[in-house]
Amino acid sequence: MPRTVITFGTFDVFHVGHLRVLERAAELGDRLVVGVSADALNERKKGRAPIFTQRERLAIVGALKVVDAVFVEESLEQKRDYIVEHEADVLVMGDDWAGKFDELADACEVVYLPRTPAISTTAIIEHIADL
Ligand code: C2G
């Protein structure tokens, strides 16, 4: 049986920190499935829409060599359902979420990877706004 890795994120204004976490996640198994968070989920949780629409973000993430499949993450609370649906063996999250998904350890392995330092969508947006 191939080992399936699942991860989640907004991946807005796609940058090298996003690429690195997906590359490292892919190395943990044979197949990488990515839940890209819905525009509505971002509006609910962050109070604003992403710069790129979910359709654009899904297209970008889905085109990556290390990504085998993408789907829309409609709600943060549905992680267990997505893990079961996609038959994931490993859940990977950035360490900004460390400890937050430990209760899913009965469904699959849970791994938190360190974030790439000094790069974020927010910093990029602020940099461009200051030009
Ligand atoms: N990331 C990283 N290094 C950075 C920036 C981001 O490793 N410098 C990682 C994050 O840790 C995450 C992924 O890239 O694993 C996507 O980041 P975001 O788009 O910020 O995702 P987020 O809004 O945290 O996810 O269920 C989670 C939700 O979908 C929201």
mmCIF file with all atom_site columns, all heavy atoms in Angstrom, residues 3-8 25 28-29 83 87-93 101-113:
data_model
loop_
_atom_site.group_PDB
_atom_site.id
_atom_site.type_symbol
_atom_site.label_atom_id
_atom_site.label_alt_id
_atom_site.label_comp_id
_atom_site.label_asym_id
_atom_site.label_entity_id
_atom_site.label_seq_id
_atom_site.pdbx_PDB_ins_code
_atom_site.Cartn_x
_atom_site.Cartn_y
_atom_site.Cartn_z
_atom_site.occupancy
_atom_site.B_iso_or_equiv
_atom_site.pdbx_formal_charge
_atom_site.auth_seq_id
_atom_site.auth_comp_id
_atom_site.auth_asym_id
_atom_site.auth_atom_id
_atom_site.pdbx_PDB_model_num
ATOM 1   N N   . ARG A 1 3   ? 2.066  4.951  0.893  1.00 0.00 ? 3   ARG A N   1
ATOM 2   C CA  . ARG A 1 3   ? 1.885  5.746  2.106  1.00 0.00 ? 3   ARG A CA  1
ATOM 3   C C   . ARG A 1 3   ? 1.428  7.148  1.680  1.00 0.00 ? 3   ARG A C   1
ATOM 4   O O   . ARG A 1 3   ? 2.142  7.860  0.955  1.00 0.00 ? 3   ARG A O   1
ATOM 5   C CB  . ARG A 1 3   ? 3.237  5.800  2.825  1.00 0.00 ? 3   ARG A CB  1
ATOM 6   C CG  . ARG A 1 3   ? 3.207  6.303  4.231  1.00 0.00 ? 3   ARG A CG  1
ATOM 7   C CD  . ARG A 1 3   ? 4.582  6.002  4.835  1.00 0.00 ? 3   ARG A CD  1
ATOM 8   N NE  . ARG A 1 3   ? 5.099  7.090  5.642  1.00 0.00 ? 3   ARG A NE  1
ATOM 9   C CZ  . ARG A 1 3   ? 4.910  7.197  6.949  1.00 0.00 ? 3   ARG A CZ  1
ATOM 10  N NH1 . ARG A 1 3   ? 4.202  6.288  7.600  1.00 0.00 ? 3   ARG A NH1 1
ATOM 11  N NH2 . ARG A 1 3   ? 5.423  8.201  7.610  1.00 0.00 ? 3   ARG A NH2 1
ATOM 12  N N   . THR A 1 4   ? 0.217  7.529  2.117  1.00 0.00 ? 4   THR A N   1
ATOM 13  C CA  . THR A 1 4   ? -0.353 8.819  1.714  1.00 0.00 ? 4   THR A CA  1
ATOM 14  C C   . THR A 1 4   ? -0.142 9.868  2.796  1.00 0.00 ? 4   THR A C   1
ATOM 15  O O   . THR A 1 4   ? -0.430 9.636  3.972  1.00 0.00 ? 4   THR A O   1
ATOM 16  C CB  . THR A 1 4   ? -1.861 8.672  1.421  1.00 0.00 ? 4   THR A CB  1
ATOM 17  O OG1 . THR A 1 4   ? -2.023 7.740  0.345  1.00 0.00 ? 4   THR A OG1 1
ATOM 18  C CG2 . THR A 1 4   ? -2.500 9.995  1.039  1.00 0.00 ? 4   THR A CG2 1
ATOM 19  N N   . VAL A 1 5   ? 0.372  11.024 2.367  1.00 0.00 ? 5   VAL A N   1
ATOM 20  C CA  . VAL A 1 5   ? 0.585  12.168 3.256  1.00 0.00 ? 5   VAL A CA  1
ATOM 21  C C   . VAL A 1 5   ? -0.472 13.210 2.923  1.00 0.00 ? 5   VAL A C   1
ATOM 22  O O   . VAL A 1 5   ? -0.770 13.440 1.746  1.00 0.00 ? 5   VAL A O   1
ATOM 23  C CB  . VAL A 1 5   ? 1.990  12.775 3.039  1.00 0.00 ? 5   VAL A CB  1
ATOM 24  C CG1 . VAL A 1 5   ? 2.237  13.953 3.989  1.00 0.00 ? 5   VAL A CG1 1
ATOM 25  C CG2 . VAL A 1 5   ? 3.071  11.714 3.198  1.00 0.00 ? 5   VAL A CG2 1
ATOM 26  N N   . ILE A 1 6   ? -1.059 13.820 3.959  1.00 0.00 ? 6   ILE A N   1
ATOM 27  C CA  . ILE A 1 6   ? -2.037 14.893 3.730  1.00 0.00 ? 6   ILE A CA  1
ATOM 28  C C   . ILE A 1 6   ? -1.562 16.147 4.456  1.00 0.00 ? 6   ILE A C   1
ATOM 29  O O   . ILE A 1 6   ? -0.972 16.062 5.549  1.00 0.00 ? 6   ILE A O   1
ATOM 30  C CB  . ILE A 1 6   ? -3.451 14.451 4.198  1.00 0.00 ? 6   ILE A CB  1
ATOM 31  C CG1 . ILE A 1 6   ? -4.535 15.387 3.665  1.00 0.00 ? 6   ILE A CG1 1
ATOM 32  C CG2 . ILE A 1 6   ? -3.541 14.340 5.722  1.00 0.00 ? 6   ILE A CG2 1
ATOM 33  C CD1 . ILE A 1 6   ? -5.961 14.821 3.798  1.00 0.00 ? 6   ILE A CD1 1
ATOM 34  N N   . THR A 1 7   ? -1.761 17.302 3.827  1.00 0.00 ? 7   THR A N   1
ATOM 35  C CA  . THR A 1 7   ? -1.473 18.561 4.512  1.00 0.00 ? 7   THR A CA  1
ATOM 36  C C   . THR A 1 7   ? -2.490 19.602 4.074  1.00 0.00 ? 7   THR A C   1
ATOM 37  O O   . THR A 1 7   ? -3.246 19.385 3.119  1.00 0.00 ? 7   THR A O   1
ATOM 38  C CB  . THR A 1 7   ? -0.013 19.023 4.257  1.00 0.00 ? 7   THR A CB  1
ATOM 39  O OG1 . THR A 1 7   ? 0.298  20.086 5.163  1.00 0.00 ? 7   THR A OG1 1
ATOM 40  C CG2 . THR A 1 7   ? 0.204  19.504 2.833  1.00 0.00 ? 7   THR A CG2 1
ATOM 41  N N   . PHE A 1 8   ? -2.513 20.708 4.793  1.00 0.00 ? 8   PHE A N   1
ATOM 42  C CA  . PHE A 1 8   ? -3.538 21.738 4.569  1.00 0.00 ? 8   PHE A CA  1
ATOM 43  C C   . PHE A 1 8   ? -2.906 23.120 4.578  1.00 0.00 ? 8   PHE A C   1
ATOM 44  O O   . PHE A 1 8   ? -1.895 23.340 5.250  1.00 0.00 ? 8   PHE A O   1
ATOM 45  C CB  . PHE A 1 8   ? -4.580 21.691 5.704  1.00 0.00 ? 8   PHE A CB  1
ATOM 46  C CG  . PHE A 1 8   ? -5.341 20.405 5.758  1.00 0.00 ? 8   PHE A CG  1
ATOM 47  C CD1 . PHE A 1 8   ? -4.864 19.324 6.485  1.00 0.00 ? 8   PHE A CD1 1
ATOM 48  C CD2 . PHE A 1 8   ? -6.540 20.263 5.079  1.00 0.00 ? 8   PHE A CD2 1
ATOM 49  C CE1 . PHE A 1 8   ? -5.561 18.119 6.540  1.00 0.00 ? 8   PHE A CE1 1
ATOM 50  C CE2 . PHE A 1 8   ? -7.250 19.068 5.123  1.00 0.00 ? 8   PHE A CE2 1
ATOM 51  C CZ  . PHE A 1 8   ? -6.756 17.996 5.857  1.00 0.00 ? 8   PHE A CZ  1
ATOM 52  N N   . ALA A 1 25  ? 6.951  17.498 3.085  1.00 0.00 ? 25  ALA A N   1
ATOM 53  C CA  . ALA A 1 25  ? 5.799  16.628 3.349  1.00 0.00 ? 25  ALA A CA  1
ATOM 54  C C   . ALA A 1 25  ? 5.825  15.443 2.378  1.00 0.00 ? 25  ALA A C   1
ATOM 55  O O   . ALA A 1 25  ? 5.617  14.300 2.780  1.00 0.00 ? 25  ALA A O   1
ATOM 56  C CB  . ALA A 1 25  ? 4.503  17.419 3.190  1.00 0.00 ? 25  ALA A CB  1
ATOM 57  N N   . LEU A 1 28  ? 7.846  12.345 3.140  1.00 0.00 ? 28  LEU A N   1
ATOM 58  C CA  . LEU A 1 28  ? 7.401  11.456 4.225  1.00 0.00 ? 28  LEU A CA  1
ATOM 59  C C   . LEU A 1 28  ? 6.523  10.301 3.739  1.00 0.00 ? 28  LEU A C   1
ATOM 60  O O   . LEU A 1 28  ? 6.076  9.481  4.536  1.00 0.00 ? 28  LEU A O   1
ATOM 61  C CB  . LEU A 1 28  ? 6.656  12.262 5.296  1.00 0.00 ? 28  LEU A CB  1
ATOM 62  C CG  . LEU A 1 28  ? 7.495  13.351 5.991  1.00 0.00 ? 28  LEU A CG  1
ATOM 63  C CD1 . LEU A 1 28  ? 6.646  14.129 6.987  1.00 0.00 ? 28  LEU A CD1 1
ATOM 64  C CD2 . LEU A 1 28  ? 8.700  12.737 6.695  1.00 0.00 ? 28  LEU A CD2 1
ATOM 65  N N   . GLY A 1 29  ? 6.230  10.264 2.431  1.00 0.00 ? 29  GLY A N   1
ATOM 66  C CA  . GLY A 1 29  ? 5.402  9.170  1.920  1.00 0.00 ? 29  GLY A CA  1
ATOM 67  C C   . GLY A 1 29  ? 5.563  9.012  0.427  1.00 0.00 ? 29  GLY A C   1
ATOM 68  O O   . GLY A 1 29  ? 6.522  9.510  -0.164 1.00 0.00 ? 29  GLY A O   1
ATOM 69  N N   . ILE A 1 83  ? -8.942 13.086 6.439  1.00 0.00 ? 83  ILE A N   1
ATOM 70  C CA  . ILE A 1 83  ? -7.917 12.041 6.623  1.00 0.00 ? 83  ILE A CA  1
ATOM 71  C C   . ILE A 1 83  ? -8.499 10.688 6.224  1.00 0.00 ? 83  ILE A C   1
ATOM 72  O O   . ILE A 1 83  ? -7.882 9.918  5.489  1.00 0.00 ? 83  ILE A O   1
ATOM 73  C CB  . ILE A 1 83  ? -7.427 12.028 8.094  1.00 0.00 ? 83  ILE A CB  1
ATOM 74  C CG1 . ILE A 1 83  ? -6.557 13.249 8.357  1.00 0.00 ? 83  ILE A CG1 1
ATOM 75  C CG2 . ILE A 1 83  ? -6.668 10.737 8.422  1.00 0.00 ? 83  ILE A CG2 1
ATOM 76  C CD1 . ILE A 1 83  ? -6.294 13.516 9.836  1.00 0.00 ? 83  ILE A CD1 1
ATOM 77  N N   . GLU A 1 87  ? -7.686 8.485  2.848  1.00 0.00 ? 87  GLU A N   1
ATOM 78  C CA  . GLU A 1 87  ? -6.900 7.343  3.337  1.00 0.00 ? 87  GLU A CA  1
ATOM 79  C C   . GLU A 1 87  ? -5.471 7.750  3.670  1.00 0.00 ? 87  GLU A C   1
ATOM 80  O O   . GLU A 1 87  ? -4.504 7.080  3.278  1.00 0.00 ? 87  GLU A O   1
ATOM 81  C CB  . GLU A 1 87  ? -6.936 6.194  2.311  1.00 0.00 ? 87  GLU A CB  1
ATOM 82  C CG  . GLU A 1 87  ? -8.361 5.712  2.069  1.00 0.00 ? 87  GLU A CG  1
ATOM 83  C CD  . GLU A 1 87  ? -8.431 4.513  1.138  1.00 0.00 ? 87  GLU A CD  1
ATOM 84  O OE1 . GLU A 1 87  ? -7.430 4.184  0.500  1.00 0.00 ? 87  GLU A OE1 1
ATOM 85  O OE2 . GLU A 1 87  ? -9.506 3.899  1.071  1.00 0.00 ? 87  GLU A OE2 1
ATOM 86  N N   . ALA A 1 88  ? -5.359 8.881  4.402  1.00 0.00 ? 88  ALA A N   1
ATOM 87  C CA  . ALA A 1 88  ? -4.026 9.404  4.738  1.00 0.00 ? 88  ALA A CA  1
ATOM 88  C C   . ALA A 1 88  ? -3.390 8.613  5.873  1.00 0.00 ? 88  ALA A C   1
ATOM 89  O O   . ALA A 1 88  ? -4.062 8.238  6.832  1.00 0.00 ? 88  ALA A O   1
ATOM 90  C CB  . ALA A 1 88  ? -4.130 10.879 5.114  1.00 0.00 ? 88  ALA A CB  1
ATOM 91  N N   . ASP A 1 89  ? -2.088 8.380  5.731  1.00 0.00 ? 89  ASP A N   1
ATOM 92  C CA  . ASP A 1 89  ? -1.304 7.707  6.774  1.00 0.00 ? 89  ASP A CA  1
ATOM 93  C C   . ASP A 1 89  ? -0.584 8.720  7.657  1.00 0.00 ? 89  ASP A C   1
ATOM 94  O O   . ASP A 1 89  ? -0.213 8.416  8.787  1.00 0.00 ? 89  ASP A O   1
ATOM 95  C CB  . ASP A 1 89  ? -0.265 6.780  6.127  1.00 0.00 ? 89  ASP A CB  1
ATOM 96  C CG  . ASP A 1 89  ? -0.932 5.727  5.241  1.00 0.00 ? 89  ASP A CG  1
ATOM 97  O OD1 . ASP A 1 89  ? -1.557 4.833  5.806  1.00 0.00 ? 89  ASP A OD1 1
ATOM 98  O OD2 . ASP A 1 89  ? -0.852 5.829  3.997  1.00 0.00 ? 89  ASP A OD2 1
ATOM 99  N N   . VAL A 1 90  ? -0.331 9.900  7.113  1.00 0.00 ? 90  VAL A N   1
ATOM 100 C CA  . VAL A 1 90  ? 0.414  10.933 7.836  1.00 0.00 ? 90  VAL A CA  1
ATOM 101 C C   . VAL A 1 90  ? -0.247 12.287 7.604  1.00 0.00 ? 90  VAL A C   1
ATOM 102 O O   . VAL A 1 90  ? -0.558 12.638 6.458  1.00 0.00 ? 90  VAL A O   1
ATOM 103 C CB  . VAL A 1 90  ? 1.882  11.059 7.323  1.00 0.00 ? 90  VAL A CB  1
ATOM 104 C CG1 . VAL A 1 90  ? 2.709  11.940 8.250  1.00 0.00 ? 90  VAL A CG1 1
ATOM 105 C CG2 . VAL A 1 90  ? 2.532  9.720  7.131  1.00 0.00 ? 90  VAL A CG2 1
ATOM 106 N N   . LEU A 1 91  ? -0.465 13.040 8.684  1.00 0.00 ? 91  LEU A N   1
ATOM 107 C CA  . LEU A 1 91  ? -0.908 14.439 8.590  1.00 0.00 ? 91  LEU A CA  1
ATOM 108 C C   . LEU A 1 91  ? 0.313  15.305 8.859  1.00 0.00 ? 91  LEU A C   1
ATOM 109 O O   . LEU A 1 91  ? 0.974  15.148 9.888  1.00 0.00 ? 91  LEU A O   1
ATOM 110 C CB  . LEU A 1 91  ? -1.988 14.732 9.640  1.00 0.00 ? 91  LEU A CB  1
ATOM 111 C CG  . LEU A 1 91  ? -2.323 16.215 9.868  1.00 0.00 ? 91  LEU A CG  1
ATOM 112 C CD1 . LEU A 1 91  ? -2.961 16.844 8.624  1.00 0.00 ? 91  LEU A CD1 1
ATOM 113 C CD2 . LEU A 1 91  ? -3.264 16.379 11.072 1.00 0.00 ? 91  LEU A CD2 1
ATOM 114 N N   . VAL A 1 92  ? 0.614  16.219 7.944  1.00 0.00 ? 92  VAL A N   1
ATOM 115 C CA  . VAL A 1 92  ? 1.727  17.153 8.128  1.00 0.00 ? 92  VAL A CA  1
ATOM 116 C C   . VAL A 1 92  ? 1.165  18.556 8.286  1.00 0.00 ? 92  VAL A C   1
ATOM 117 O O   . VAL A 1 92  ? 0.324  18.979 7.498  1.00 0.00 ? 92  VAL A O   1
ATOM 118 C CB  . VAL A 1 92  ? 2.690  17.117 6.912  1.00 0.00 ? 92  VAL A CB  1
ATOM 119 C CG1 . VAL A 1 92  ? 3.709  18.242 6.986  1.00 0.00 ? 92  VAL A CG1 1
ATOM 120 C CG2 . VAL A 1 92  ? 3.395  15.777 6.834  1.00 0.00 ? 92  VAL A CG2 1
ATOM 121 N N   . MET A 1 93  ? 1.640  19.261 9.322  1.00 0.00 ? 93  MET A N   1
ATOM 122 C CA  . MET A 1 93  ? 1.259  20.662 9.505  1.00 0.00 ? 93  MET A CA  1
ATOM 123 C C   . MET A 1 93  ? 2.522  21.452 9.845  1.00 0.00 ? 93  MET A C   1
ATOM 124 O O   . MET A 1 93  ? 3.459  20.903 10.421 1.00 0.00 ? 93  MET A O   1
ATOM 125 C CB  . MET A 1 93  ? 0.257  20.810 10.657 1.00 0.00 ? 93  MET A CB  1
ATOM 126 C CG  . MET A 1 93  ? -1.082 20.101 10.455 1.00 0.00 ? 93  MET A CG  1
ATOM 127 S SD  . MET A 1 93  ? -2.100 20.696 9.078  1.00 0.00 ? 93  MET A SD  1
ATOM 128 C CE  . MET A 1 93  ? -2.504 22.368 9.593  1.00 0.00 ? 93  MET A CE  1
ATOM 129 N N   . PHE A 1 101 ? -3.244 19.413 16.607 1.00 0.00 ? 101 PHE A N   1
ATOM 130 C CA  . PHE A 1 101 ? -3.950 18.293 15.969 1.00 0.00 ? 101 PHE A CA  1
ATOM 131 C C   . PHE A 1 101 ? -3.553 16.949 16.558 1.00 0.00 ? 101 PHE A C   1
ATOM 132 O O   . PHE A 1 101 ? -3.802 15.903 15.953 1.00 0.00 ? 101 PHE A O   1
ATOM 133 C CB  . PHE A 1 101 ? -3.749 18.333 14.449 1.00 0.00 ? 101 PHE A CB  1
ATOM 134 C CG  . PHE A 1 101 ? -4.322 19.592 13.836 1.00 0.00 ? 101 PHE A CG  1
ATOM 135 C CD1 . PHE A 1 101 ? -3.491 20.590 13.375 1.00 0.00 ? 101 PHE A CD1 1
ATOM 136 C CD2 . PHE A 1 101 ? -5.694 19.791 13.788 1.00 0.00 ? 101 PHE A CD2 1
ATOM 137 C CE1 . PHE A 1 101 ? -4.020 21.776 12.858 1.00 0.00 ? 101 PHE A CE1 1
ATOM 138 C CE2 . PHE A 1 101 ? -6.237 20.964 13.273 1.00 0.00 ? 101 PHE A CE2 1
ATOM 139 C CZ  . PHE A 1 101 ? -5.389 21.955 12.807 1.00 0.00 ? 101 PHE A CZ  1
ATOM 140 N N   . ASP A 1 102 ? -3.013 16.978 17.781 1.00 0.00 ? 102 ASP A N   1
ATOM 141 C CA  . ASP A 1 102 ? -2.548 15.738 18.415 1.00 0.00 ? 102 ASP A CA  1
ATOM 142 C C   . ASP A 1 102 ? -3.684 14.748 18.643 1.00 0.00 ? 102 ASP A C   1
ATOM 143 O O   . ASP A 1 102 ? -3.450 13.540 18.685 1.00 0.00 ? 102 ASP A O   1
ATOM 144 C CB  . ASP A 1 102 ? -1.848 16.039 19.751 1.00 0.00 ? 102 ASP A CB  1
ATOM 145 C CG  . ASP A 1 102 ? -0.499 16.716 19.552 1.00 0.00 ? 102 ASP A CG  1
ATOM 146 O OD1 . ASP A 1 102 ? -0.083 16.862 18.380 1.00 0.00 ? 102 ASP A OD1 1
ATOM 147 O OD2 . ASP A 1 102 ? 0.125  17.095 20.551 1.00 0.00 ? 102 ASP A OD2 1
ATOM 148 N N   . GLU A 1 103 ? -4.925 15.234 18.758 1.00 0.00 ? 103 GLU A N   1
ATOM 149 C CA  . GLU A 1 103 ? -6.046 14.313 19.003 1.00 0.00 ? 103 GLU A CA  1
ATOM 150 C C   . GLU A 1 103 ? -6.355 13.448 17.778 1.00 0.00 ? 103 GLU A C   1
ATOM 151 O O   . GLU A 1 103 ? -7.131 12.499 17.870 1.00 0.00 ? 103 GLU A O   1
ATOM 152 C CB  . GLU A 1 103 ? -7.296 15.072 19.485 1.00 0.00 ? 103 GLU A CB  1
ATOM 153 C CG  . GLU A 1 103 ? -8.123 15.746 18.397 1.00 0.00 ? 103 GLU A CG  1
ATOM 154 C CD  . GLU A 1 103 ? -7.663 17.160 18.059 1.00 0.00 ? 103 GLU A CD  1
ATOM 155 O OE1 . GLU A 1 103 ? -6.587 17.581 18.563 1.00 0.00 ? 103 GLU A OE1 1
ATOM 156 O OE2 . GLU A 1 103 ? -8.360 17.847 17.298 1.00 0.00 ? 103 GLU A OE2 1
ATOM 157 N N   . LEU A 1 104 ? -5.721 13.769 16.634 1.00 0.00 ? 104 LEU A N   1
ATOM 158 C CA  . LEU A 1 104 ? -5.947 12.964 15.426 1.00 0.00 ? 104 LEU A CA  1
ATOM 159 C C   . LEU A 1 104 ? -4.964 11.803 15.324 1.00 0.00 ? 104 LEU A C   1
ATOM 160 O O   . LEU A 1 104 ? -5.007 11.016 14.372 1.00 0.00 ? 104 LEU A O   1
ATOM 161 C CB  . LEU A 1 104 ? -5.835 13.850 14.178 1.00 0.00 ? 104 LEU A CB  1
ATOM 162 C CG  . LEU A 1 104 ? -6.862 14.980 14.111 1.00 0.00 ? 104 LEU A CG  1
ATOM 163 C CD1 . LEU A 1 104 ? -6.550 15.918 12.960 1.00 0.00 ? 104 LEU A CD1 1
ATOM 164 C CD2 . LEU A 1 104 ? -8.272 14.410 13.972 1.00 0.00 ? 104 LEU A CD2 1
ATOM 165 N N   . ALA A 1 105 ? -4.093 11.666 16.339 1.00 0.00 ? 105 ALA A N   1
ATOM 166 C CA  . ALA A 1 105 ? -3.041 10.640 16.310 1.00 0.00 ? 105 ALA A CA  1
ATOM 167 C C   . ALA A 1 105 ? -3.603 9.217  16.285 1.00 0.00 ? 105 ALA A C   1
ATOM 168 O O   . ALA A 1 105 ? -2.895 8.291  15.910 1.00 0.00 ? 105 ALA A O   1
ATOM 169 C CB  . ALA A 1 105 ? -2.092 10.816 17.485 1.00 0.00 ? 105 ALA A CB  1
ATOM 170 N N   . ASP A 1 106 ? -4.876 9.043  16.656 1.00 0.00 ? 106 ASP A N   1
ATOM 171 C CA  . ASP A 1 106 ? -5.479 7.699  16.544 1.00 0.00 ? 106 ASP A CA  1
ATOM 172 C C   . ASP A 1 106 ? -5.901 7.396  15.096 1.00 0.00 ? 106 ASP A C   1
ATOM 173 O O   . ASP A 1 106 ? -6.130 6.250  14.743 1.00 0.00 ? 106 ASP A O   1
ATOM 174 C CB  . ASP A 1 106 ? -6.676 7.554  17.501 1.00 0.00 ? 106 ASP A CB  1
ATOM 175 C CG  . ASP A 1 106 ? -7.776 8.561  17.191 1.00 0.00 ? 106 ASP A CG  1
ATOM 176 O OD1 . ASP A 1 106 ? -7.473 9.647  16.649 1.00 0.00 ? 106 ASP A OD1 1
ATOM 177 O OD2 . ASP A 1 106 ? -8.948 8.272  17.470 1.00 0.00 ? 106 ASP A OD2 1
ATOM 178 N N   . ALA A 1 107 ? -6.014 8.439  14.260 1.00 0.00 ? 107 ALA A N   1
ATOM 179 C CA  . ALA A 1 107 ? -6.423 8.253  12.865 1.00 0.00 ? 107 ALA A CA  1
ATOM 180 C C   . ALA A 1 107 ? -5.217 8.106  11.934 1.00 0.00 ? 107 ALA A C   1
ATOM 181 O O   . ALA A 1 107 ? -5.271 7.374  10.939 1.00 0.00 ? 107 ALA A O   1
ATOM 182 C CB  . ALA A 1 107 ? -7.278 9.434  12.412 1.00 0.00 ? 107 ALA A CB  1
ATOM 183 N N   . CYS A 1 108 ? -4.135 8.829  12.236 1.00 0.00 ? 108 CYS A N   1
ATOM 184 C CA  . CYS A 1 108 ? -2.917 8.755  11.418 1.00 0.00 ? 108 CYS A CA  1
ATOM 185 C C   . CYS A 1 108 ? -1.762 9.351  12.205 1.00 0.00 ? 108 CYS A C   1
ATOM 186 O O   . CYS A 1 108 ? -1.976 9.953  13.265 1.00 0.00 ? 108 CYS A O   1
ATOM 187 C CB  . CYS A 1 108 ? -3.095 9.490  10.086 1.00 0.00 ? 108 CYS A CB  1
ATOM 188 S SG  . CYS A 1 108 ? -3.239 11.269 10.261 1.00 0.00 ? 108 CYS A SG  1
ATOM 189 N N   . GLU A 1 109 ? -0.565 9.197  11.657 1.00 0.00 ? 109 GLU A N   1
ATOM 190 C CA  . GLU A 1 109 ? 0.607  9.823  12.279 1.00 0.00 ? 109 GLU A CA  1
ATOM 191 C C   . GLU A 1 109 ? 0.468  11.346 12.120 1.00 0.00 ? 109 GLU A C   1
ATOM 192 O O   . GLU A 1 109 ? -0.035 11.808 11.081 1.00 0.00 ? 109 GLU A O   1
ATOM 193 C CB  . GLU A 1 109 ? 1.830  9.321  11.509 1.00 0.00 ? 109 GLU A CB  1
ATOM 194 C CG  . GLU A 1 109 ? 3.166  9.449  12.190 1.00 0.00 ? 109 GLU A CG  1
ATOM 195 C CD  . GLU A 1 109 ? 4.275  8.923  11.277 1.00 0.00 ? 109 GLU A CD  1
ATOM 196 O OE1 . GLU A 1 109 ? 4.081  7.840  10.684 1.00 0.00 ? 109 GLU A OE1 1
ATOM 197 O OE2 . GLU A 1 109 ? 5.287  9.603  11.153 1.00 0.00 ? 109 GLU A OE2 1
ATOM 198 N N   . VAL A 1 110 ? 0.883  12.122 13.115 1.00 0.00 ? 110 VAL A N   1
ATOM 199 C CA  . VAL A 1 110 ? 0.784  13.583 13.026 1.00 0.00 ? 110 VAL A CA  1
ATOM 200 C C   . VAL A 1 110 ? 2.196  14.174 13.150 1.00 0.00 ? 110 VAL A C   1
ATOM 201 O O   . VAL A 1 110 ? 2.892  13.903 14.126 1.00 0.00 ? 110 VAL A O   1
ATOM 202 C CB  . VAL A 1 110 ? -0.118 14.157 14.152 1.00 0.00 ? 110 VAL A CB  1
ATOM 203 C CG1 . VAL A 1 110 ? -0.216 15.677 14.043 1.00 0.00 ? 110 VAL A CG1 1
ATOM 204 C CG2 . VAL A 1 110 ? -1.511 13.523 14.108 1.00 0.00 ? 110 VAL A CG2 1
ATOM 205 N N   . VAL A 1 111 ? 2.604  14.921 12.138 1.00 0.00 ? 111 VAL A N   1
ATOM 206 C CA  . VAL A 1 111 ? 3.965  15.473 12.098 1.00 0.00 ? 111 VAL A CA  1
ATOM 207 C C   . VAL A 1 111 ? 3.883  16.984 11.912 1.00 0.00 ? 111 VAL A C   1
ATOM 208 O O   . VAL A 1 111 ? 3.147  17.464 11.049 1.00 0.00 ? 111 VAL A O   1
ATOM 209 C CB  . VAL A 1 111 ? 4.766  14.856 10.910 1.00 0.00 ? 111 VAL A CB  1
ATOM 210 C CG1 . VAL A 1 111 ? 6.139  15.492 10.779 1.00 0.00 ? 111 VAL A CG1 1
ATOM 211 C CG2 . VAL A 1 111 ? 4.888  13.344 11.069 1.00 0.00 ? 111 VAL A CG2 1
ATOM 212 N N   . TYR A 1 112 ? 4.629  17.725 12.720 1.00 0.00 ? 112 TYR A N   1
ATOM 213 C CA  . TYR A 1 112 ? 4.707  19.184 12.569 1.00 0.00 ? 112 TYR A CA  1
ATOM 214 C C   . TYR A 1 112 ? 6.093  19.528 12.029 1.00 0.00 ? 112 TYR A C   1
ATOM 215 O O   . TYR A 1 112 ? 7.101  19.123 12.616 1.00 0.00 ? 112 TYR A O   1
ATOM 216 C CB  . TYR A 1 112 ? 4.498  19.874 13.921 1.00 0.00 ? 112 TYR A CB  1
ATOM 217 C CG  . TYR A 1 112 ? 3.177  19.520 14.573 1.00 0.00 ? 112 TYR A CG  1
ATOM 218 C CD1 . TYR A 1 112 ? 3.112  18.532 15.560 1.00 0.00 ? 112 TYR A CD1 1
ATOM 219 C CD2 . TYR A 1 112 ? 1.996  20.146 14.197 1.00 0.00 ? 112 TYR A CD2 1
ATOM 220 C CE1 . TYR A 1 112 ? 1.908  18.183 16.160 1.00 0.00 ? 112 TYR A CE1 1
ATOM 221 C CE2 . TYR A 1 112 ? 0.784  19.800 14.788 1.00 0.00 ? 112 TYR A CE2 1
ATOM 222 C CZ  . TYR A 1 112 ? 0.748  18.822 15.768 1.00 0.00 ? 112 TYR A CZ  1
ATOM 223 O OH  . TYR A 1 112 ? -0.443 18.484 16.354 1.00 0.00 ? 112 TYR A OH  1
ATOM 224 N N   . LEU A 1 113 ? 6.151  20.238 10.921 1.00 0.00 ? 113 LEU A N   1
ATOM 225 C CA  . LEU A 1 113 ? 7.443  20.596 10.321 1.00 0.00 ? 113 LEU A CA  1
ATOM 226 C C   . LEU A 1 113 ? 7.764  22.059 10.609 1.00 0.00 ? 113 LEU A C   1
ATOM 227 O O   . LEU A 1 113 ? 6.859  22.903 10.577 1.00 0.00 ? 113 LEU A O   1
ATOM 228 C CB  . LEU A 1 113 ? 7.398  20.384 8.806  1.00 0.00 ? 113 LEU A CB  1
ATOM 229 C CG  . LEU A 1 113 ? 7.263  18.939 8.324  1.00 0.00 ? 113 LEU A CG  1
ATOM 230 C CD1 . LEU A 1 113 ? 7.178  18.909 6.792  1.00 0.00 ? 113 LEU A CD1 1
ATOM 231 C CD2 . LEU A 1 113 ? 8.439  18.094 8.801  1.00 0.00 ? 113 LEU A CD2 1
#
